[in-house]
Amino acid sequence: MTSPSQEAPKPKDPMKGFRGVMSGTLIMEAITVALALPVVNKLGGGISTGTGWTVIAVAVLLIATCGFVKRPWAVPLILALQVVLIALVFWLPAIAVLGVLFLAVWLWLLWLRRDVARRMAAGTLASQQPQP
């Protein structure tokens, strides 16, 4: 019989690391969106306007989404939040620019995730190679 300390270690899950990258990106985006509030205050009619409350709501939702990155619906939610930011182009174009920039970041991250999944399926990741 083997004791639990003698069992082979579990292989590392590359997607777990990717979820960390997603959470970190969401936090950075939430900070960036929140830092746009002075722009909303100056150019968007004030923070107490619909634009201000929308920006605050998006920043809070970005932070809240960090807790759900493991769920299958997290990526569509993240992309929907980018669309909301881009839709603000009619009220405050500066906020829409943030949406476009972060949409590009998210599309790049999703491309990386697809590449890791492809390499994982092919068994070519470094963590899948036999140890000497």
Side-chain angles (χ1 to χ4, degrees), residues 7-63:
E7 291 180 11
K10 290 184 180 180
K12 292 183 180 181
D13 180 14
M15 292 304 166
K16 184 176 180 183
F18 183 76
R19 289 190 295 267
V21 170
M22 287 176 61
S23 293
T25 305
L26 284 167
I27 293 297
M28 286 189 297
E29 184 175 4
I31 291 169
T32 306
V33 169
L35 286 172
L37 285 172
V39 175
V40 172
N41 190 35
K42 191 81 162 172
L43 302 175
I47 295 175
S48 61
T49 63
T51 305
W53 284 109
T54 303
V55 170
I56 292 170
V58 169
V60 169
L61 284 171
L62 287 166
I63 293 170

Side-chain angles (χ1 to χ4, degrees), residues 64-85:
T65 305
C66 288
F68 301 106
V69 293
K70 206 175 201 180
R71 310 285 178 154
W73 45 266
V75 171
L77 174 62
I78 292 167
L79 295 176
L81 289 171
Q82 305 314 306
V83 170
V84 169
L85 286 174

